[in-house]
Amino acid sequence: MKKQFNFFIILALLFLFLLLHVYVLSGLQTYSNSPLLELSFWLLIAGITISLIYAIKRIQSRGMDSFFKFATHAFLILLCIEIVFVIILIPGDIYRLLIHHPRNFYWVAFASLLSILTFFLFVHGMSKGKYAYRVIKHDLYFDDLPDSFDGFTITQISDIHAGSFNNPKAIQKGIDLINKQASDLFVFTGDLVNNKAAEILPWIGYFSQIKAPYGQFSILGNHDYGDYVKWESEANKRENLQQLKNHHAALGFRLLLDEHVHLHKDGEKIVLAGVENWGLGFGERGDLQKALNNVDSNDFKILLSHDPSHWEEQVKNFAVKIQLTLSGHTHGMQFGLEAFGIKWSPVKYRYAHWAGIKKENNRYLNINRGFGFLGFSGRIGIWPEITVITLKKHPSLS
């Protein structure tokens, strides 16, 4: 029954996909009814679609190579351009049908203009947007924060995805911006690579520049385990993971694997814990109980957990209070709008809370929008993020 249901969903999507193209072509034919236009249009659609299917079929053997990036980007850009064209075209068509007039040439030209602007928006996102680092700051107040840690600062980045980088100068700009924050503590919340440990090797000299007085700490994300590529053997896969762990050490990052450390300041302490990746649909490896073994329930605790679904499913209602959880994973889908009071990204349909601060049950979650990028080699409206969090004692209790 489930396979049959999936088949009908795929069939429905293919039908909508075809309908979209037919409607777009009908709009373009306002300019010309030349058979050459129609032939060129369908050849373009067929070429991009076949390239995408082939790229997906070979991903396990070839990974996200240049051909995969070309095929997926061409398909994504084409699809978005067509959707914009259709969204503008439909109101004009409804109006012309009501008044029984032919399709308005100028309205089609307006739809075409917005589609062209959409194309250039993607070009900007792929050339500039993916390295347009933003520093986002949050002051968080706690009743039970030790007095010595009032004003303690944490810089967080997430989702480096080193295998996607191709601009050393831009990466150095991001590293410099991280160090410029001069935070007490630095944390990285997973997905150092896309698939293979070797991807970080060209960038170790860059990220090893990151230093903080109380140390640099990290965890693993779902991509770090090598689950999305084909390996010659399980032994090779395990070896890759061990190499990745070694690379964390080479970066100067203390990797937390279902464990915790104490951070001491002026005779007081807080607990910093980190779990292996735990995410619905992305591997539930992390062991929260193990990470907090022998931790006093009254201690102030910060948890590093890559996937925010872990917070929703376990952390926010965990028997032992975890005051602050730092996550990443969503990337804000690298596409959306955060301006004019609007905060929207398609990823909201998978994660209701997908970026920034959330508070529930007197516990905080922060989701970092990611430092790098994956799949789509760009960012539009959702910029790469460096988070700076300042821990503060609640004013009434300080």
Side-chain angles (χ1 to χ4, degrees):
M1 179 64 75
K2 186 175 181 181
K3 286 185 178 180
Q4 190 177 25
F5 181 70
N6 289 339
F7 173 76
F8 282 119
I9 289 178
I10 293 170
L11 204 61
L13 288 173
L14 288 173
F15 176 74
L16 290 173
F17 189 55
L18 179 62
L19 195 64
L20 174 71
H21 296 322
V22 169
Y23 189 62
V24 168
L25 178 60
S26 74
L28 294 176
Q29 287 174 328
T30 304
Y31 298 117
S32 169
N33 279 316
S34 167
L36 186 59
L37 171 66
E38 184 173 355
L39 177 63
S40 301
F41 178 83
W42 286 116
L43 284 175
L44 175 67
I45 299 301
I48 290 176
T49 304
I50 291 169
S51 296
L52 178 69
I53 293 169
Y54 179 63
I56 291 172
K57 284 190 70 175
R58 69 203 282 274
I59 190 171
Q60 282 205 329
S61 59
R62 300 291 184 88
M64 296 181 183
D65 61 4
S66 298
F67 180 78
F68 177 86
K69 290 177 182 177
F70 167 78
T72 54
H73 285 58
F75 182 83
L76 177 64
I77 293 170
L78 175 68
L79 184 62
C80 289
I81 287 173
E82 287 190 312
I83 289 172
V84 169
F85 186 76
V86 165
I87 287 173
I88 302 302
L89 203 61
I90 285 175
D93 280 349
I94 292 173
Y95 178 73
R96 75 176 176 88
L97 290 172
L98 290 175
I99 62 173
H100 305 291
H101 278 195
R103 184 173 267 155
N104 187 299
F105 176 87
Y106 295 103
W107 190 255
V108 176
F110 176 60
S112 301
L113 176 63
L114 289 184
S115 296
I116 292 169
L117 290 175
T118 301
F119 172 77
F120 283 108
L121 195 64
F122 272 90
V123 171
H124 176 269
M126 293 165 62
S127 59
K128 303 291 185 182
K130 61 186 178 183
Y131 295 121
Y133 303 107
R134 301 289 195 271
V135 176
I136 298 179
K137 298 185 177 185
H138 303 287
D139 292 344
L140 302 183
Y141 291 87
F142 303 90
D143 296 342
D144 48 359
L145 180 70
D147 292 340
S148 299
F149 287 87
D150 188 12
F152 190 84
T153 53
I154 305 167
T155 288
Q156 176 199 3
I157 65 169
S158 193
D159 300 271
I160 287 174
H161 289 289
S164 300
F165 292 153
N166 58 9
N167 189 332
K169 186 176 179 180
I171 298 303
Q172 186 62 58
K173 181 182 73 171
I175 302 298
D176 291 342
L177 194 55
I178 290 169
N179 282 329
K180 186 179 178 181
Q181 306 314 306
S183 291
D184 296 305
L185 176 71
F186 170 82
V187 298
F188 167 65
T189 47
D191 277 359
L192 186 63
V193 297
N194 296 344
N195 295 295
K196 296 186 175 182
E199 294 167 13
I200 190 61
L201 288 175
W203 308 102
I204 287 179
Y206 292 83
F207 288 93
S208 62
Q209 296 172 34
I210 299 172
K211 301 297 178 186
Y214 284 80
Q216 305 82 234
F217 295 87
S218 60
I219 55 171
L220 298 175
N222 55 299
H223 279 268
D224 294 323
Y225 295 91
D227 289 340
Y228 307 120
V229 291
K230 190 175 182 179
W231 298 93
E232 292 182 7
S233 66
E234 279 298 314
N236 286 342
K237 185 179 178 182
R238 288 193 298 271
E239 182 184 355
N240 178 74
L241 181 57
Q242 184 56 54
Q243 288 175 352
L244 186 72
K245 292 175 182 178
N246 295 340
H247 295 334
H248 275 257
L251 291 166
F253 296 178
R254 166 74 157 85
L255 183 62
L256 297 175
L257 301 167
D258 293 340
E259 57 188 317
H260 67 270
V261 295
H262 292 117
L263 304 178
H264 296 271
K265 185 179 182 185
D266 298 335
E268 295 183 298
K269 69 178 180 180
I270 61 175
V271 173
L272 178 67
V275 291
E276 296 205 45
N277 186 68
W278 194 107
L280 292 176
F282 292 95
E284 299 169 11
R285 291 179 167 92
D287 187 335
L288 184 57
Q289 186 66 58
K290 181 182 176 184
L292 296 177
N293 272 352
N294 302 316
V295 170
D296 191 311
S297 61
N298 294 318
D299 285 341
F300 185 91
K301 292 169 284 296
I302 299 171
L303 175 69
L304 310 182
S305 181
H306 177 70
D307 192 315
S309 66
H310 188 211
W311 190 82
E312 295 288 352
E313 295 296 317
Q314 291 188 355
V315 180
K316 70 179 183 182
N317 294 314
F318 196 62
V320 176
K321 182 180 178 182
I322 299 168
Q323 286 83 349
L324 173 61
T325 300
L326 303 177
S327 298
H329 182 65
T330 71
H331 298 210
M333 210 167 177
Q334 298 166 212
F335 179 86
L337 178 63
E338 291 190 273
F340 315 111
I342 300 169
K343 183 178 179 179
W344 179 86
S345 165
V347 78
K348 70 172 288 185
Y349 304 111
R350 173 66 172 85
Y351 298 93
H353 178 65
W354 49 270
I357 297 292
K358 180 178 182 180
K359 185 179 182 182
E360 190 173 331
N361 197 18
N362 205 28
R363 308 175 190 201
Y364 286 101
L365 166 70
N366 181 63
I367 303 175
N368 179 282
R369 292 163 179 81
F371 186 88
F373 46 91
L374 179 70
F376 170 50
S377 294
R379 284 179 176 265
I380 300 174
I382 307 294
W383 313 116
E385 176 182 348
I386 298 165
T387 312
V388 178
I389 293 175
T390 303
L391 307 180
K392 292 196 172 184
K393 189 82 171 182
H394 195 282
S396 63
L397 299 174
S398 59

